[in-house]
């Protein structure tokens, strides 16, 4: 017994060390950021956040929608699991229910919001089929639907897996004792599942509570805590201190969760063995359960059906002819094969490491006699990992490991995924192991076997189905995750979901669906393979309940070989994918697609083809990396909004002076030179305007008119610098007080369509969700040129501009070609850039008169971060 405890404690120590280094340390760093200011420890950040406008409302909204969706999802998951385990519906139907219940987890969460919009929106697939919009998709309704889809697989897997370990013979005993059907149901099914149902609710609750992707698409005015966290951490002016406060507040509910699960632990039941029994006949029960479960499955499939339609038509909803153009556009990307290989490698390595971690932790809590304190530590780890939002974990890793050997490596991606998704696999393993006979280890010890042999020869074979399920869970989630890895993936370690984020930034939603299908097919194939292995293992164990020593030795040898093989692969790649490609110049950029293509063409045509890697981000995401990483950023060269470049230089002194003379018309700092100037304009959907008998607006002020109620979309300046173009125009024309009066009515008309992303309004205009938006002029010009029913109006208040600049990072062992490429982009790329962004920035430039905006204007004050903050405050007063 002493040896057994020593081995278990060794496993415990290894698990705790992993989470101390990669969970506790990052969280402590976040905590420090929430209480340490310029002059030492302060509670000012907490005070400003907790008393700030909207925090308590967002917190209450999060509790309400997350609680409602978690409750409904748990009920649905229980019902579907019950149909499979306790009815006699045909086996094919049971397989169908199980497959559909797990389908949403095979897709990136980024896809969910788009699927809801393109299914239930005003121009959605299901809206067209039914002839009317079934319900308002923005706000509570859209969030509830999205969260239910998102959490159904996790909830179903927990309930389904545990339900398979309930001994059905007690149902017979209960009936013999004279219990009524309801009492039998409660005592023999519900009561053994109390702990698992509670875990399902808590898991689902926190997944909803911490998700940002779905609110970003369909949240509307229904602000939730995750949206608030995003605006603080990755708004147009990131505030890591106040963002850390919001993150800390999101951890508080986990304390209550630990207490609830501790209380419900006593309801967990163990069975000495599981009796194989046929389900009692009940045609009425089978018919009802079968119909209701199939109905739930059809609802899930109907939402995702749009993914198989949109990528294969010309342009939804205007050109519905079959087309493979979007598919071809994606697969023409020369780097896609490498990105896909990266994704599969990271997913497989995550699954291996994660399964070992979850299994070891579950062994400690479910199959040992160590103290309750040690078990509670692991329980706490599981719950905390569930409450940490992915983007917070990613940012924490960004803060902690920038400048270390882990930065931008495959290894940091794998570790992040193992920590991020630990909770559900651990609970699956724990629930499975806790249902097994508790005396196996004791019996084996009396027979002379040591603890390790017992785990390998007895426990592991009986848990093999769950182990494969856990492996599958980790693999699939590592393939679809984006919220954490977007901040820590490097240019050479990019995965498919970061590619999807890139396409989303470019408004290429058709291509987003294409890559989503690629991930779906990969995950479906992987799931099928894991299921085949599980079924084969089940039949093997059914014929022979224990492995002999020879087979056990083979399993151990294979496991060790697998771990060593993975280590060798990681070592060979440097855990980073750097290798021979390290000499390539890494260019990080927030530029639009047209600008990226122009810069690539300039570099390729002047002898730099194959000597650089472009990695693109949203403005706020790249801004966060610049401010957080400073000189430790992977990039050698950056193209970014000028005010961000200046802010990053002021804070981190991270850029070197340019060694060439740019020759700009206006004065710029010595460390950067402008590449583009982007203008704001009013964008309209001409078909929607006609359909709703709306007159064309002539000014931004016109958007405040009552006839445009619920027909317009604008961006939020707290999260997107695009909104600054609109506010500049209003303040310049009407003064601050006049701007407030207009902006209040514009926000009221926009309703649920005050978007977080600068591309949000254009996305909604394209999809026919609204008729008018305010966005970037060059994007509207491009859409109109492609023949879409998109037009634009240069407002009478003026087309104001934001510039983007190129800067070279001042780092040790800098690649000298970075400065050469910066000069090449400026001197050889501007001619092409001027076609898309027709604003002269350099001496001797002249734009095409037909492309120039109707009313170009420049704001009277210099655009600085301080001015942006001032205009953010003005905006908040108007909401």
């Amino acid at each position: 017994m002493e040896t057994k405890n020593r081995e278990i404690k060794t496993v415990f120590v290894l698990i705790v060390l992993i989470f101390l280094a990669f969970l506790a340390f990052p969280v402590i760093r976040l905590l420090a950021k929430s209480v340490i200011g310029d002059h030492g420890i302060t509670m000012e950040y907490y005070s400003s956040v907790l008393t700030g406008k909207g925090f308590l409302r967002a917190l209450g909204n999060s509790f309400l929608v997350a609680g409602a969706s978690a409750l409904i999802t748990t009920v649905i998951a229980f019902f579907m699991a019950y149909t499979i385990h306790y009815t006699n519906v045909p086996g094919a139907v049971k397989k169908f229910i199980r497959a559909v219940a797990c389908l949403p987890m095979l897709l990136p969460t980024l896809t969910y919001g788009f699927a809801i919009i393109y299914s239930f929106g005003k121009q959605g697939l299901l809206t067209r089929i039914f002839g009317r919009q079934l319900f308002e998709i923005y706000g509570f309704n859209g969030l509830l639907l999205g969260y239910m889809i998102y959490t159904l697989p996790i909830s179903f897997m927990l309930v389904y897996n545990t339900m398979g370990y309930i001994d059905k013979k007690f149902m017979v005993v209960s009936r013999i004792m004279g219990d009524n059907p309801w009492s039998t149901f409660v005592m023999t099914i519900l009561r053994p599942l109390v702990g698992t149902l509670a875990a399902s609710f808590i898991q689902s609750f926190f997944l909803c509570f911490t998700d940002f992707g779905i609110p970003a698409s369909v949240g509307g005015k229904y602000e939730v805590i995750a949206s608030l966290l995003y605006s603080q951490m990755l708004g147009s002016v990131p505030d890591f201190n106040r963002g850390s406060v919001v993150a800390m507040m999101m951890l508080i509910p986990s304390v209550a969760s630990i207490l609830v699960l501790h209380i419900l632990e006593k309801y967990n039941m163990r069975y000495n063995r599981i009796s194989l029994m046929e389900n009692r006949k009940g045609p009425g029960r089978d018919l009802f359960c079968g119909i209701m479960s199939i109905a739930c499955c059809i609802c899930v499939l109907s939402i995702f059906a749009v993914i198989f339609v949109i990528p294969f038509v010309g342009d939804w909803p205007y050109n519905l002819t079959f087309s493979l153009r979007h598919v071809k556009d994606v697969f023409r990307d020369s780097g896609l094969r490498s990105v896909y290989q990266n994704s599969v490698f990271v997913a497989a390595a995550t699954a291996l490491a994660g399964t070992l971690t979850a299994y070891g932790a579950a062994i400690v809590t479910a199959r040992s006699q160590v103290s309750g304190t040690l078990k509670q530590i692991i329980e706490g780890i599981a719950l905390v990992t569930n409450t940490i939002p992915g983007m917070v974990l990613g940012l924490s890793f960004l803060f902690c490991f920038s400048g270390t050997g882990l930065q931008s490596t495959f290894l940091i991606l794998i570790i992040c995924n193992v920590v991020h998704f630990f909770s559900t696999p651990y609970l699956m393993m724990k629930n499975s192991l806790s249902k097994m006979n508790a005396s196996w280890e004791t019996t084996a010890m009396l027979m002379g076997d040591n603890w390790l042999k017992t785990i390998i020869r007895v426990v592991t074979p009986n848990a093999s189905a769950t182990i494969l399920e856990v492996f599958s869970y980790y693999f699939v989630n590592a393939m679809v995750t984006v919220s954490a890895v977007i901040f820590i993936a490097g240019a050479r370690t990019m995965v498919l979901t970061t590619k999807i984020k890139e396409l989303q930034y470019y408004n290429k939603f058709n291509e987003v669906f294409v890559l989503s299908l690629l991930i779906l097919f990969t995950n479906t194939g992987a799931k099928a393979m894991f299921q085949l292995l599980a079924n084969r293992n089940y039949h093997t164990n059914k014929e022979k309940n224990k492995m002999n020593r020879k087979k056990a030795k083979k399993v151990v040898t294979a496991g060790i070989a697998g771990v060593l093989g993975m280590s060798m692969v990681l070592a060979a790649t440097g855990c980073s994918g750097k290798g021979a490609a390290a000499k390539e110049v890494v260019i990080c950029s927030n530029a639009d697609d047209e600008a990226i293509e122009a810069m690539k063409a300039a570099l390729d045509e002047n002898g730099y083809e194959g000597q650089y890697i472009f990695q693109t981000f949203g403005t706020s995401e790249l801004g966060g990396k610049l401010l957080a990483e400073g000189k430790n950023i992977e990039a050698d060269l950056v193209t970014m909004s000028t005010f961000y470049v200046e802010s990053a230089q002021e804070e981190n002194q991270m850029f070197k002076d340019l060694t060439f003379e740019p020759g700009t018309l206006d004065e710029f700092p010595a460390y950067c030179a402008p590449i583009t100037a982007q203008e704001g304009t009013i964008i309209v959907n001409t078909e929607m305007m006609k359909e709703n008998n709306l007159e064309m607006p002539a000014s931004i002020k016109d958007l405040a008119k009552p006839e445009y109620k619920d027909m317009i979309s604008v961006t939020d300046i707290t999260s997107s610098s695009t909104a600054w173009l609109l506010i500049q125009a209003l303040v310049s024309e009407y003064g601050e007080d006049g701007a407030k009066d207009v902006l209040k009515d514009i926000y009221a008309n926009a309703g649920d369509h005050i978007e977080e992303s600068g591309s949000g309004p254009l996305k909604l205009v394209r999809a026919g969700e609204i008729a008018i938006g305010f966005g970037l002029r060059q994007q509207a010009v491009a859409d109109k040129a492609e023949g879409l029913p998109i037009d634009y109006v240069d407002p009478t208040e003026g087309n104001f501009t934001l510039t983007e600049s190129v800067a070279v990072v001042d780092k040790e062992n800098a690649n000298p070609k970075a400065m050469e490429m910066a000069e090449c982009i400026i001197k050889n790329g501007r001619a092409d850039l001027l076609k898309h962004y027709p604003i002269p920035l350099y001496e001797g430039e002249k734009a095409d008169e037909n492309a120039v905006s109707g009313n170009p204007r420049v704001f009277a004050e210099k655009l600085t971060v301080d001015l942006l903050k001032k205009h953010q405050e003005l905006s908040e007063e108007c909401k």
Side-chain angles (χ1 to χ4, degrees), residues 10 16 18 36 81 109 233 245 255 294 322 370 389 430 459 466 633 643 687 735 756 776 803-804 859 879:
T10 300
V16 170
I18 291 172
I36 298 178
T109 54
M233 283 287 197
V245 171
V255 178
I294 290 174
F322 178 78
V370 297
K430 177 193 167 189
V459 177
T466 305
I633 194 168
F643 74 90
E687 291 188 1
E756 303 288 338
L776 297 178
T803 62
E804 293 181 352
F859 198 67
K879 292 180 181 177

Side-chain angles (χ1 to χ4, degrees), residues 644-763:
Y644 259 128
V645 172
E646 294 178 352
S647 179
Q649 177 71 355
E650 182 180 345
E651 183 166 331
N652 297 319
Q653 295 297 307
M654 60 181 294
F655 301 116
K656 62 175 65 175
D657 288 350
L658 301 178
T659 58
F660 57 92
E661 183 60 41
T664 56
L665 293 173
D666 297 320
E667 185 177 349
F668 280 82
Y671 52 82
C672 69
I675 55 170
T676 64
Q678 303 187 30
E679 295 179 300
T681 195
I682 298 171
I683 305 169
V684 297
N685 182 310
T686 54
E687 291 188 1
M688 289 287 291
M689 297 293 285
K690 292 178 182 177
E691 184 180 324
N692 292 278
N693 297 316
L694 296 174
E695 292 185 3
M696 283 283 191
S699 66
I700 296 173
K701 187 176 182 178
D702 285 347
L703 303 184
K705 292 180 178 179
E707 55 262 38
Y708 295 129
K709 177 72 174 175
D710 297 325
M711 298 302 294
I712 69 171
S713 177
V714 294
T715 50
D716 189 344
I717 193 173
T718 61
S719 57
S720 171
S721 59
T722 301
W724 202 6
L725 298 170
L726 180 145
I727 293 178
Q728 284 182 51
L730 292 178
V731 172
S732 178
E733 187 73 15
Y734 309 112
E736 290 190 8
D737 291 337
K740 289 179 184 178
D741 293 336
V742 176
L743 200 55
K744 286 177 183 177
D745 291 334
I746 289 177
Y747 284 159
N749 281 351
D752 288 324
H753 298 307
I754 303 176
E755 298 296 308
E756 303 288 338
S757 167
S759 62
L762 177 61
K763 174 185 69 177

Side-chain angles (χ1 to χ4, degrees), residues 8 11 358-368 433 441 451 455 459:
I8 291 175
V11 173
Y359 190 39
I363 288 287
V364 173
T365 55
R367 307 296 304 181
S368 76
L433 295 177
E441 289 91 332
W451 177 79
I455 294 298
V459 177

Side-chain angles (χ1 to χ4, degrees), residues 32-55:
K33 279 192 171 291
S34 71
V35 297
I36 298 178
D38 295 334
H39 305 290
I41 295 178
T42 176
M43 297 303 293
E44 188 273 332
Y45 300 125
Y46 279 88
S47 175
S48 62
V49 169
L50 296 179
T51 60
K53 181 181 178 182
F55 175 79

Side-chain angles (χ1 to χ4, degrees), residues 343-614:
S343 291
V344 174
F345 169 73
V346 169
T350 296
L352 175 62
T355 301
L356 290 173
T357 304
Y359 190 39
I363 288 287
V364 173
T365 55
R367 307 296 304 181
S368 76
Q369 300 299 319
V370 297
S371 69
T373 301
L374 299 186
K375 293 183 178 182
Q376 285 303 313
I377 289 174
I378 290 183
E379 293 286 344
I381 289 172
L383 286 170
V384 169
T385 56
N386 193 30
T387 62
I388 297 277
M391 62 181 177
V392 175
L393 189 61
L395 282 167
S396 301
F397 275 43
L398 193 67
F399 297 144
C400 293
F401 303 114
S402 293
T404 71
L406 288 174
Q407 182 181 356
S408 301
T409 64
F410 285 129
L411 185 57
I412 195 68
L413 296 180
I414 294 164
I415 293 171
C416 184
N417 286 336
V418 169
V419 173
H420 186 199
F421 299 113
F422 172 75
S423 185
T424 296
Y426 162 73
L427 289 173
M428 291 166 61
M429 286 305 320
K430 177 193 167 189
N431 289 329
S432 174
L433 295 177
S434 64
K435 300 300 180 185
M436 297 179 187
N437 193 316
S439 65
W440 282 344
E441 289 91 332
T442 303
T443 303
M445 183 188 67
L446 293 174
M447 295 179 66
D449 283 346
N450 62 36
W451 177 79
L452 182 60
K453 287 183 178 180
T454 305
I455 294 298
I456 294 173
R457 298 172 60 184
V458 181
V459 177
T460 300
N462 284 277
S464 58
T466 305
I467 290 172
L468 286 168
E469 196 76 29
V470 166
F471 191 95
S472 172
Y473 179 89
Y474 260 120
F475 181 93
V476 166
N477 278 279
M479 282 292 295
V480 302
T481 186
V482 67
S483 58
V485 300
I486 189 67
F487 306 111
I488 56 178
R492 301 179 182 91
T493 56
M494 182 181 289
V495 292
L496 278 176
T497 47
T498 58
K499 188 71 174 178
I500 287 177
K501 193 72 173 65
E502 176 184 315
L503 292 170
Q504 179 194 8
Y505 177 65
Y506 291 141
N507 295 307
K508 295 184 176 181
F509 302 110
N510 298 300
E511 287 77 2
V512 166
F513 285 144
V514 173
L515 283 190
S516 297
L517 287 175
L518 181 58
I519 292 175
L520 174 63
F521 295 147
T522 300
N523 282 338
T524 300
K527 288 281 288 184
M529 180 181 69
F530 297 139
Q531 188 61 49
L532 181 65
L533 290 173
N535 292 340
R536 181 179 179 183
N537 202 297
Y538 170 79
H539 291 300
T540 300
N541 287 334
K542 189 174 180 181
E543 295 172 3
K544 195 169 187 178
N545 289 326
K546 64 179 181 178
M547 301 170 62
N548 57 37
R549 293 181 183 273
K550 187 175 181 181
K551 288 185 177 180
K553 186 176 180 180
K554 288 181 178 180
V555 170
V556 175
T557 303
I560 294 173
V563 174
L564 289 176
M566 189 64 67
S567 300
M568 290 174 65
V569 171
L570 288 171
T573 60
C575 298
S576 64
K578 293 180 180 178
K583 295 181 180 179
E584 295 172 329
V585 172
V586 176
I587 306 173
C588 287
S589 177
N590 75 320
D592 297 317
D593 198 18
E594 298 86 359
I596 295 292
E597 292 305 315
M599 288 188 282
K600 285 182 177 179
L603 293 173
D604 291 347
E605 292 169 5
N606 288 275
Y608 294 107
E609 185 174 0
Q611 299 180 43
Y612 62 87
I613 299 175
F614 258 101

Side-chain angles (χ1 to χ4, degrees), residues 108-123:
T109 54
L110 283 172
T111 308
Y112 297 174
F114 303 138
I116 292 173
I117 292 173
Y118 279 86
S119 295
F120 295 103
K122 292 178 182 178
Q123 300 295 330

